[in-house]
Amino acid sequence: MSETHFEVNIAIPRKPSSLLHSRYVLRGCHGLFMTKRSYVFQHLRTTLKASVSELVDDQTRLFTWPASLVLSAYLVAHRDEVENKKVLELGAGTGLVSVVSGLMGAKGVLATDRDQESTLANLEASIASNGEGLKAACSVAGLDWSQSYRLLPVTDEEPFDLILGSDILYSNEDFDDILLTVSKLLELAGPTKGRFITAYQERTIHRSLAAHLEQYRLKAKRLPSPLHRVHEAGSAVMITKEGEEREVEMASFDSIHLLEITRVIN
């Protein structure tokens, strides 16, 4: 196993056409890659550093996908939407969105993903790498989409104010299970409180949420993305490794969209 640390600096622009600047370091060997990444989000006078653990082996592929960066940047730019809120993340992956939520002042964060030992252990490692204060505010749980009842709070527990998910709506087969879970949780939050904010990457035109949303009495609206593109060319990212820099191609953020999903109230 090989482990390394590196930092990504993300400047959240005031205008969508501004730039995203990133720096990476990566090293691995012998089939198992463990990477500790620190993402530094900058918005106006706010600078927030969030660290996560990434793991790649024969069975696990835990990366921080671009949609997680977009959703995290949105939270940093909109502190009031997460501060003092009870937050649930679905499909947390490396946990970046959950970590950012906790660091932005959420009063409680539950990070969930598939109930697999390596995945949940990696989530715990991501949370722990940000200090004892975050460990007190964040917890981890396994969740199978088809068993959403496991997340329903008991009557004396406070429901979730905010549900988050990045790039979890990538398979049509999961739409119903995910939206059923979201619908149940929003219903518990009450008619005016609960919201689900998701960042998704448009990979095909043959995919539509409209019918699924209607089935579960949900509605969606687009939110402005804080990260519009990577440099002006839409692809350039600087990679730093052992003191050397090189430019590589990276997919544009233009295909990543933010949606706010809420209940339809009669």
Side-chain angles (χ1 to χ4, degrees), residues 80-97:
D80 59 313
E81 299 195 21
V82 68
E83 192 172 28
N84 296 318
K85 300 293 194 303
K86 186 175 180 181
V87 176
L88 165 70
E89 185 183 6
L90 302 174
T94 63
L96 178 64
V97 173

Side-chain angles (χ1 to χ4, degrees), residues 74 81 195 197-198 221-225 257-260:
Y74 178 85
E81 299 195 21
R195 297 188 306 149
I197 298 179
T198 181
K221 72 174 183 179
R222 290 278 294 271
L223 297 175
S225 173
H257 309 288
L258 283 168
L259 282 181
E260 178 190 74

